[in-house]
């Protein structure tokens, strides 16, 4: 559609959502990481010079590693790629670089490849980078076990193969990986995985018992849980404190088929890691070194200036540690995912107790016995309370956002009390005896306690659109613990026939006194159809009723950020080893970068924040679709992006900003296709357009 009509807004907006989904953002980061590309190139060149003539690139992506092999002189190069989009892209790239007839690309998962159907003979080199921040998350172990069995020549030291030259034996790049783990204290991680607030908006949350995120290592695999999440530790707001040294927790040799087979069967290993700093353990951070060959390694560690994220294993319950304690870390590869967890803390006194034991034992104490007794004495009073609730990370960050709830409570209390007092006059005139309850509807997405807060603020019948049974149970538990009568809180979706029409009258003869809308997605974009929902909600309000929020003001500023450029497009052919890849992968560049943490983004501010746009949710006549804004430059540089965020006005003077340290929202940024060179004192004219809930900002030259 875009090719046919490039400025067709619906197609444009959908394309951007689809493009983000089709091509993962890390393709840009990876291709721009010249260091990574050069190290792979060196390793491949060395292997081919060693005699590897036939090469298979597993997970070729854009085809860059396959092209390295060809250029290094390999006689046969094959590549496979399971994503259709990337497969088609790789075909375009390889032919644009004149290698269409010398690299055979298959749209296949490597596990489905067979000889001789897909490749004529076994190859002497497999090159791959099918790894994620947790190393094994893209299935590299399974892929290599299959490759050693079906696609690769036998490894050099295989007993049944007489000593032979590299061209008769198989090898893998990367040759192996070393995994590191480090315990960290980090509030930003904690507030996304554990309840940190004891009360919000006047509600006592202690009753909620144990709230946890879907990220956990324990529990059976079939739960909808994932073992780890990923974070760029060097970019976390508020930073982190290392509580232990990084310690190597696992070594994997990708050139040893037997070891790979045994990896997932291997018992969990336990390590005692010395604590170097007092603090509270919030998570174990995990990264790795990818040993491409004997000389070259790529690290994904937090102190590297590389662009990689680390794997984060949140610790489900509270561990306080002191210097000289030892943290018991458990490492395993259950169901092909790397799992790292805290098994307990051994305090120095317990350690002394254990070490005192082996004084009188002549023979060295049995390490197993020692460890078992240590485990027995551990402070493992971490059994989870009976009732525990799983909320999304963003829902936990929302519940922990005390400012957001305090603002809502203030605005709602003002409205309901005003309403009630005014209501009673109106009702006196109409001499209807019972002032009757005020109907309040909360249509937030996901878990929300706003309806419960409303129910405590007056004679209110509160309706919540919370859908999940578990969330409803949590809300009811909180209602009971906070003295809200059962009949004051109802679940709205149960009332409406099709939950697509969640905005309906409460009753045939009733209208709402207040409706709470959910306007901003966690990623920082405005929710789709926001204005349509607002105008529908307004029709369902009784006289004097209100929609919350009433207004959204968009603020933005001019910045120069090379980091944002690196994450949004491949810059030229230089980083990609001279291969012409940029024009092909950059078709998937999207002009709006979401899930941004603006507070820690490396960037130079070239202007003050400026008001960009106003959305009036109480009166759609006030809304224009385009606005030109002039922004004064206060530092010289190149404007490469325009980050923006929202001031959400719950009423004329209570406002919640989506750009605050405790905000559960992230920010977004428009990336300028062509950077704008500016000098202090310049005025930059921006055209801000609002169409179907999507904001576009262009610089008018
Ligand atoms: C220092 C590396 C690093 C560290 C931390 N974070 C990120 C990175 C960067 N690497 C990310 C690559 C991750 C995606 S893998 C790359 C491409 O390969 C494809 N695939 C995956 C498995 C597979 C298979 N068995 N058969 C065929 N194709 C396969 C995927 O469809 C994808 O397009």
């Amino acid at each position: 559609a875009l090719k046919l009509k490039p400025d067709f807004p619906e197609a444009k907006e959908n394309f951007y959502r689809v493009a983000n989904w089709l091509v993962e953002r890390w393709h840009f980061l990876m291709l721009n990481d010249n260091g990574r590309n050069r190290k792979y190139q060196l390793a491949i060149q060395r292997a081919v010079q060693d005699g590897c003539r036939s090469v298979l690139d597993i997970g070729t992506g854009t085809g860059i590693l396959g092209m390295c092999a060809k250029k290094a002189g390999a006689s046969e190069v094959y590549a496979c790629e399971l994503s259709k989009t990337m497969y088609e892209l790789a075909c375009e790239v390889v032919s644009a670089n004149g290698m269409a007839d010398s690299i055979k690309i298959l749209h296949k998962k490597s596990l489905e490849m067979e000889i001789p159907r897909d490749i004529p003979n076994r190859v002497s080199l497999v090159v791959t980078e099918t790894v994620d921040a947790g190393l094994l998350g893209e299935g590299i172990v399974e892929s290599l076990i299959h490759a050693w069995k079906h696609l690769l020549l036998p490894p050099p030291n295989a007993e049944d193969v007489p000593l032979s030259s590299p061209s008769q034996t198989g090898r893998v790049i990367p040759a192996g990986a070393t995994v590191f783990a480090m315990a960290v204290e980090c509030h930003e991680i904690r507030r996304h995985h554990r309840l940190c607030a004891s009360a919000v908006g006047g509600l006592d949350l202690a009753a909620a018992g144990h709230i946890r995120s879907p990220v956990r290592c324990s529990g059976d695999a079939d739960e909808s849980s994932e073992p780890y999440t990923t974070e760029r530790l060097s970019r976390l707001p508020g930073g982190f404190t290392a509580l232990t040294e990084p310690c190597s927790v696992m070594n994997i040799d990708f050139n040893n088929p037997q070891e790979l087979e045994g990896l997932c069967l291997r018992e969990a290993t336990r390590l005692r890691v010395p604590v170097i700093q007092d603090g509270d353990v919030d998570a174990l951070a995990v990264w790795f070194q990818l040993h491409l060959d004997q000389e070259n390694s790529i690290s994904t560690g937090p102190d590297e200036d590389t662009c990689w994220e680390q794997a984060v294993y949140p610790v489900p319950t509270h561990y306080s540690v002191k210097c000289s304690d030892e943290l018991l870390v458990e490492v395993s590869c259950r169901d092909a995912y790397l799992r790292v967890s805290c098994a307990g803390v051994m305090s120095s006194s317990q350690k002394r107790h254990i070490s005192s034991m082996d004084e009188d034992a002549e023979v060295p104490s049995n390490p197993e016995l020692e460890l078992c007794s240590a485990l027995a004495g551990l402070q493992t009073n971490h059994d989870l309370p009976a009732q525990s609730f799983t909320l999304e990370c963003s829902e936990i960050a929302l519940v922990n956002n005390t400012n957001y709830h305090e603002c809502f409570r203030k605005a709602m209390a003002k409205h309901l009390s005003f309403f009630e007092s005014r209501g009673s006059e109106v009702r006196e005139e109409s001499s209807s005896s019972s002032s009757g309850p005020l109907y309040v509807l909360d249509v937030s997405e996901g878990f929300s306690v706003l309806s419960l807060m409303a129910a405590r603020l007056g004679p209110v019948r509160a309706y919540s659109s919370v859908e999940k049974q578990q969330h409803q149970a949590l809300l009811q538990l909180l209602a009971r613990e906070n003295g809200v009568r059962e009949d004051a809180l109802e679940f709205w979706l149960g009332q409406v026939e099709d939950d697509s029409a969640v905005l309906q009258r409460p009753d045939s003869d009733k209208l709402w006194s207040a409706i709470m809308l959910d306007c901003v997605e966690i990623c920082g974009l405005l929710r789709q159809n926001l204005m349509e929902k607002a105008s529908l909600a307004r029709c369902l309000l009784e006289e004097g009723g209100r929609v919350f929020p009433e207004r959204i003001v968009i603020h933005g500023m001019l910045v120069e950020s090379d980091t944002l450029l690196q994450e949004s497009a491949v810059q030229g052919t230089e980083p990609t080893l001279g291969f012409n890849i940029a024009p092909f992968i950059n078709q998937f560049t999207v002009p709006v970068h979401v899930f941004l943490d603006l507070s820690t983004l490396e960037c130079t501010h070239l202007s003050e924040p400026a008001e960009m746009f106003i959305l009036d949710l109480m009166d759609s006549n006030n809304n224009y679709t385009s606005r030109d804004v002039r922004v004064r430059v206060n530092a010289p540089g190149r404007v490469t992006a325009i980050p923006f965020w929202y001031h959400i006005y719950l009423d004329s003077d209570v406002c919640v900003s989506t750009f605050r340290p405790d905000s559960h929202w992230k920010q977004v940024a428009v990336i300028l296709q062509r950077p704008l060179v500016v000098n202090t004192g310049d005025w930059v004219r921006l055209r801000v357009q609002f169409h179907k809930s999507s904001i576009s900002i262009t610089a008018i030259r």
Side-chain angles (χ1 to χ4, degrees), residues 22 24 26-27 29-30 33 36 40 57-62 79-84 86-87 106-113 128-135 137-140 142-144 230 288 290 298-300 306-311:
L22 278 180
E24 308 266 357
W26 44 251
H27 277 293
L29 277 176
M30 204 162 63
D33 185 344
R36 168 242 177 219
Y40 259 101
D57 174 2
I58 294 181
T60 195
T62 55
C80 67
E81 169 52 62
L82 65 81
S83 139
K84 182 102 169 77
M86 294 313 295
Y87 160 73
L106 299 159
H107 173 218
K108 253 187 203 301
K109 186 162 187 175
S110 62
L111 305 177
E112 291 149 20
M113 286 177 63
T128 186
E129 193 195 67
T130 50
V131 295
D132 69 337
L135 185 61
E138 291 282 350
I140 189 167
E142 192 188 2
S143 303
L144 292 182
T230 62
F288 55 88
L290 213 49
I298 293 176
S299 170
T300 64
T306 67
C307 49
W308 303 124
E309 295 187 322
Q310 290 74 45

